[in-house]
């Protein structure tokens, strides 16, 4: 059984989601250079599972084969977070399907936008859409981050995720590491 069949996935027609401060829009092929530049940030290389050294071909693969292709096959919804006033890309948020109407949220933000509240608002917006029948019709959204990634944890907590009290072990770049995890349940 392939990945798409496993989740009963159908193509996702990604909307543009607009808030007072930003818009979430689908990725486009011309986002490759921006993804490449953002992914060279030392914090990104430390906390996000990226190839090291990170090359432009990795950014192109992410944009074409993950962000765009996975919406087409229904396994993920990835959005660029843009400043509503300027159109400047600030970050990325994605919902990646899991079994039983669940998804895992992942996000990253440009250094100059961190601490501004943008990501918390983006996570709330993307999750609200993910739970909706017009979105992905999810029942729950999962979150995890390496222990120590305080910024990611604060975003998850502010967005309403229930953080588990115990940590789990995962393999991170070939070594066992601890991760925090949490869950957000669809409103009734």
């Amino acid at each position: 059984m392939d990945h798409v069949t496993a989740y009963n996935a159908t193509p996702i027609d990604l909307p543009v989601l607009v808030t007072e401060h930003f818009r979430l829009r689908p990725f486009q092929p011309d986002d490759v250079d921006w993804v490449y530049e953002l992914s060279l940030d030392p914090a990104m290389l430390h906390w996000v599972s990226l190839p090291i050294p990170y090359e432009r071909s990795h950014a192109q693969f992410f944009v074409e084969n993950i962000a765009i292709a996975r919406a087409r096959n229904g396994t993920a919804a990835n959005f660029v977070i843009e400043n509503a006033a300027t159109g400047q890309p600030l970050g990325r948020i994605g919902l990646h399907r899991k079994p039983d109407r669940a998804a895992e949220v992942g996000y990253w933000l440009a250094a100059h936008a961190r601490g501004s509240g943008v990501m918390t608002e983006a996570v709330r917006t993307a999750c609200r859409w993910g739970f909706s029948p017009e979105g992905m019709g999810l029942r729950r959204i999962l979150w995890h981050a390496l222990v120590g990634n305080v910024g990611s944890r604060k975003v998850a907590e502010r967005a309403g995720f229930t953080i588990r009290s115990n940590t789990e072990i995962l393999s991170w770049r070939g070594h066992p590491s601890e991760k925090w995890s949490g869950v957000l349940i669809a409103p009734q």
Side-chain angles (χ1 to χ4, degrees), residues 72-144:
R72 287 185 186 140
N73 70 24
T75 60
N78 283 282
F79 296 92
V80 173
I81 305 164
E82 285 184 336
N83 179 301
T86 67
Q88 177 188 28
L90 302 173
R92 167 249 168 207
I93 184 162
L95 296 170
H96 301 267
R97 281 198 197 275
K98 299 292 181 192
D100 300 323
R101 292 181 52 198
E104 182 177 310
V105 67
Y107 43 85
W108 28 265
L109 197 60
H112 66 85
R114 293 180 194 139
S116 66
V118 166
M119 188 53 76
T120 300
E121 188 177 347
V123 169
R124 287 179 183 147
T125 302
C127 290
R128 191 170 35 253
W129 174 83
F131 287 136
S132 74
E134 299 79 26
M136 297 172 77
L138 301 171
R139 289 186 190 148
R140 60 193 169 95
I141 298 174
L142 311 169
W143 163 87
H144 75 263

Side-chain angles (χ1 to χ4, degrees), residues 10-174:
T10 58
I12 301 170
D13 184 22
L14 295 178
V16 174
L17 304 172
V18 180
T19 75
E20 183 180 341
H21 302 104
F22 64 85
R23 74 187 144 253
L24 300 178
R25 65 155 173 88
F27 272 82
Q28 302 164 352
D30 62 356
D31 289 320
V32 170
D33 289 334
W34 167 74
V35 169
Y36 173 67
E37 289 175 24
L38 182 64
S39 297
L40 296 177
D41 174 6
M44 287 275 296
L45 290 168
H46 182 76
W47 296 117
V48 179
S49 181
L50 297 173
I52 297 176
Y54 194 81
E55 300 174 359
R56 189 179 183 284
S57 61
H58 296 119
Q60 184 170 355
F61 181 86
F62 172 80
V63 169
E64 293 174 359
N65 298 299
I66 296 176
I68 294 173
R70 290 188 182 172
R72 287 185 186 140
N73 70 24
T75 60
N78 283 282
F79 296 92
V80 173
I81 305 164
E82 285 184 336
N83 179 301
T86 67
Q88 177 188 28
L90 302 173
R92 167 249 168 207
I93 184 162
L95 296 170
H96 301 267
R97 281 198 197 275
K98 299 292 181 192
D100 300 323
R101 292 181 52 198
E104 182 177 310
V105 67
Y107 43 85
W108 28 265
L109 197 60
H112 66 85
R114 293 180 194 139
S116 66
V118 166
M119 188 53 76
T120 300
E121 188 177 347
V123 169
R124 287 179 183 147
T125 302
C127 290
R128 191 170 35 253
W129 174 83
F131 287 136
S132 74
E134 299 79 26
M136 297 172 77
L138 301 171
R139 289 186 190 148
R140 60 193 169 95
I141 298 174
L142 311 169
W143 163 87
H144 75 263
L146 287 173
V147 168
N149 189 344
V150 176
S152 182
R153 181 175 175 138
K154 284 181 181 179
V155 166
E157 289 172 339
R158 290 179 184 143
F161 282 76
T162 300
I163 308 300
R164 295 188 181 115
S165 59
N166 59 326
T167 61
E168 300 173 37
I169 302 294
L170 78 155
S171 178
W172 180 254
R173 297 192 173 129

